[in-house]
Amino acid sequence: MVNRICIPDSEYLERIKKAASLVRARGLDVMLVCSTESDYANARYFSGFWPLFERAGVAISATGDAALLVGPESEIFGKDRSKIEKVFVLKEFRESADPAYPEIKASTFRDVFKSIGVSGDHIKIGLGSYVECTLPIFEGLKESFPCAEIVKCNDIMVTLRKIKSVNELACIREGFRVIELATDEVIRQLKPGVTELEMVGVAQRVIYENGAEYEGLPMYVFSEESTRHAISRSCYRKINKGDIVQLNLSAKIDGYSPAIGLPVVMGKLEGERKELVEFCQKAHDWTCNRIKAGVIASDIAKDFYKMYEDAGFAENYVYGPCHGTGMIEVEAPWMETTSDYPLEENMTFQVDTFISGPTFGCRWEKGIAVKKDGFESYTDYLNKGIIELEF
């Protein structure tokens, strides 16, 4: 696809340069970020490489040199896909089956760091993705540099990734275009007797046919009781007339993973069920209207929670009004009652409004970018309101 929307190679180089500046400012000699297949973002952010089975990492020196680190089976894969020229194989990045690879002569962290200009024993190493740093990776660092100081520096990655570039926004916008097509087709094919998983399959076909590289999240179609699940997976349950069906569909475009979530009713929505769904939609719209540059995130989150309390839904509350989005559909920063940061232009969020009731739940979700005087929505799909299908 000649006109494929993607991140240009030059932007990867700019990211490494910006990261090096932050590494220097923190007094670090080197920063290491690590990624898995499912949480690939930090390594891919600098290298374009998305690991499969194995882990991956990127080391960035304070002087701005960088290297990609891959497992024993990914050397050729890594060199073919990486935007970073230096690629090293380390056994610490092996897959979870824990093979020994006795015949392979792998590199060490000392080899990697030397190649990017970091030497000596008493160095300061920052872990830019602490949660994804597995025990074998951490032990490998300690073995190579027993006298090093190893510290967390997750905030560097939040600083780099929270405000999106023009190219990142283009990828997100394209993802929403594809998701809308998938949502249209799933709703068109929804009828009593189909299973949740069949509808996921419909969505998967559409996103791939229209340019997605993968699902932006494990897509789901829930019905009735499973709509109470904040996180779950679709199953073989047959959808019946009268059910509430929750859609959360997504499409990944060059690593960027937006999603759309909305309820669809297999008939007419009435009574207490209608009250809960309408409250959730009202809370979603209220959140959108509060977003603009300069607003403190916790102020929105506190008033959002109070809205649940005032409406008698405090026991049905699960999490705050928004979470960051970008390469991972859910990424930092979250918007919670303890979030004391101000919103900034071109921060991107999923306005993710969820409520879990005793017999069913509901989620209204879409992606937005913060602007000076408000927000830019990347989809108008939720403006359709509550979708009720007739059979």
Side-chain angles (χ1 to χ4, degrees):
M1 299 175 63
V2 176
N3 295 318
R4 183 172 67 90
I5 294 173
C6 61
I7 304 299
D9 290 357
S10 59
E11 192 157 317
Y12 290 98
L13 299 176
E14 292 171 7
R15 292 170 176 179
I16 292 170
K17 184 177 179 181
K18 289 177 181 177
S21 177
L22 294 172
V23 168
R24 289 194 301 274
R26 286 287 294 273
L28 302 172
D29 294 289
V30 62
M31 178 176 71
L32 175 69
V33 298
C34 306
S35 291
T36 62
E37 180 178 349
S38 62
D39 206 334
Y40 57 84
N42 284 333
R44 187 171 183 178
Y45 184 78
F46 296 115
S47 69
F49 179 72
W50 180 6
L52 182 70
F53 297 121
E54 299 182 320
R55 286 78 172 115
V58 171
I60 300 174
S61 71
T63 58
D65 205 351
L68 173 68
L69 292 64
V70 300
E73 297 180 40
S74 298
E75 182 176 12
I76 298 173
F77 176 30
K79 289 179 178 177
D80 280 351
R81 300 292 176 86
S82 178
K83 311 297 182 180
I84 298 173
E85 185 175 348
K86 295 174 183 176
V87 178
F88 288 83
V89 172
L90 278 74
K91 290 185 180 180
E92 287 87 348
F93 290 84
R94 63 191 179 274
E95 61 184 271
S96 60
D98 200 20
Y101 299 108
E103 293 77 31
I104 290 180
K105 181 173 173 54
S107 297
T108 67
F109 280 104
R110 192 168 282 272
D111 297 325
V112 174
F113 289 3
K114 182 180 179 181
S115 78
I116 59 174
V118 179
S119 58
D121 295 320
H122 298 274
I123 61 173
K124 191 170 184 180
I125 303 168
L127 298 179
S129 43
Y130 178 79
V131 173
E132 292 78 44
C133 182
T134 64
L135 187 57
I137 293 170
F138 187 81
E139 289 177 339
L141 282 170
K142 293 294 291 182
E143 183 177 347
S144 286
F145 295 97
C147 298
E149 180 183 0
I150 302 176
V151 299
K152 293 169 62 174
C153 62
N154 302 41
D155 57 298
I156 288 179
M157 294 310 302
V158 175
T159 297
L160 288 168
R161 290 173 52 194
K162 69 180 179 179
I163 297 176
K164 303 302 190 287
S165 70
V166 170
N167 294 309
E168 290 177 296
L169 295 175
C171 289
I172 293 170
R173 189 176 291 109
E174 174 66 4
F176 278 108
R177 183 191 70 83
V178 174
I179 301 164
E180 288 185 351
L181 296 174
T183 304
D184 280 342
E185 185 63 14
V186 169
I187 292 173
R188 191 183 71 81
Q189 295 202 32
L190 262 177
K191 59 182 181 293
V194 300
T195 68
E196 295 175 357
L197 285 169
E198 283 180 272
M199 294 298 95
V200 172
V202 169
Q204 288 175 327
R205 173 182 60 79
V206 174
I207 67 165
Y208 286 124
E209 286 179 347
N210 287 278
E213 66 177 12
Y214 207 68
E215 299 172 75
L217 51 76
M219 291 196 287
Y220 60 73
V221 176
F222 297 154
S223 55
E224 281 302 291
E225 288 193 2
S226 61
T227 61
R228 297 173 301 154
H229 302 174
I231 298 174
S232 186
R233 294 186 184 275
S234 296
C235 66
Y236 291 97
R237 183 186 184 278
K238 287 187 177 181
I239 295 169
N240 300 309
K241 188 175 180 179
D243 282 355
I244 289 180
V245 177
Q246 179 66 48
L247 309 184
N248 256 71
L249 308 182
S250 62
K252 195 183 302 294
I253 303 294
D254 205 28
Y256 289 80
S257 307
I260 292 176
L262 74 160
V264 178
V265 188
M266 305 293 285
K268 192 74 176 172
L269 188 63
E270 299 175 327
E272 292 182 2
R273 290 156 70 88
K274 184 175 183 180
E275 180 185 358
L276 189 143
V277 172
E278 287 182 340
F279 167 78
C280 191
Q281 183 183 27
K282 176 184 175 183
H284 176 90
D285 293 340
W286 175 92
T287 300
C288 291
N289 291 330
R290 288 290 300 275
I291 290 173
K292 66 177 180 178
V295 174
I296 304 301
S298 60
D299 290 345
I300 298 176
K302 289 172 184 175
D303 288 345
F304 180 80
Y305 180 64
K306 188 175 186 302
M307 187 185 311
Y308 275 70
E309 287 185 313
D310 292 346
F313 290 125
E315 292 185 359
N316 309 106
Y317 178 90
V318 181
Y319 52 76
C322 300
H323 56 75
T325 193
M327 297 191 80
I328 302 294
E329 195 269 343
V330 180
E331 66 180 36
W334 280 68
M335 195 178 291
E336 301 175 286
T337 55
T338 54
S339 303
D340 59 359
Y341 63 88
L343 303 188
E344 300 176 67
E345 281 198 78
N346 291 335
M347 292 178 76
T348 50
F349 290 94
Q350 290 283 127
V351 181
D352 180 356
T353 315
F354 177 70
I355 188 168
S356 183
T359 61
F360 79 101
C362 173
R363 173 182 270 118
W364 296 90
E365 182 174 8
K366 69 179 179 184
I368 60 95
V370 178
K371 297 300 177 183
K372 181 179 179 181
D373 297 314
F375 69 96
E376 178 184 358
S377 175
Y378 288 117
T379 177
D380 293 327
Y381 213 99
L382 274 61
N383 294 345
K384 298 175 185 285
I386 300 170
I387 298 174
E388 298 172 309
L389 303 181
E390 295 183 5
F391 299 99

